[in-house]
Amino acid sequence: MRPLFHPSLDAVRLEAILHALSDPVRVGMLTQIIDSSCAQSCTAFAQIGDRVIPKSSLSQHFRILREAGLVRSERVGVEVRNTVRCDEVNARFPGLLAAILDAYRRETARQEVSAH
């Protein structure tokens, strides 16, 4: 099995982070990992909100998050467990993730209120 690529902190690019978080599914995935107290397996993301996410799409989403430097993935048996790299990203880009994730949470809450 091919090793998973994780960029060093110096190689993390702002453009890659913004691209990775431009997709609401990926922001939802990252938020779910951040809100969890432990590493999350990929299967925990088979459904984000009311969306069912195919396994092939999950792999693609995690690859983009990983290559942007936002998550660290580790193979454990047949599972891949994911943890956030927020502290590392915040050291390089202070406040960036907090601002993006806060905007995502406010927008999601606003959409939920307007749907009811």
Side-chain angles (χ1 to χ4, degrees):
M1 205 170 270
R2 180 171 54 144
L4 299 171
F5 171 75
H6 298 94
S8 68
L9 181 59
D10 294 336
V12 171
R13 294 180 12 251
L14 177 61
E15 299 84 14
I17 292 171
L18 294 175
H19 168 72
L21 298 179
S22 68
D23 185 294
V25 171
R26 288 192 292 268
V27 179
M29 292 167 65
L30 185 65
T31 301
Q32 188 172 329
I33 298 170
I34 289 169
D35 291 345
S36 171
S37 61
C38 59
Q40 295 288 299
S41 68
C42 292
T43 56
F45 300 92
Q47 187 164 346
I48 302 287
D50 60 348
R51 298 181 192 167
V52 174
I53 312 295
K55 191 174 181 179
S56 60
S57 296
L58 278 176
S59 296
Q60 177 73 359
H61 286 310
F62 273 111
R63 182 187 62 79
I64 292 169
L65 289 169
R66 195 171 45 251
E67 291 179 356
L70 296 168
V71 298
R72 181 167 303 283
S73 303
E74 178 185 354
R75 287 192 177 98
V76 179
V78 295
E79 288 187 329
V80 176
R81 296 198 181 145
N82 302 281
T83 55
V84 294
R85 295 179 67 187
C86 291
D87 291 341
E88 295 173 73
V89 174
N90 283 332
R92 175 106 192 258
F93 303 105
L96 175 68
L97 289 181
I100 293 171
L101 296 175
D102 182 54
Y104 169 78
R105 287 182 173 122
R106 280 183 301 170
E107 181 64 19
T108 302
R110 188 187 66 76
Q111 288 174 358
E112 288 174 1
V113 167
S114 66
H116 295 289

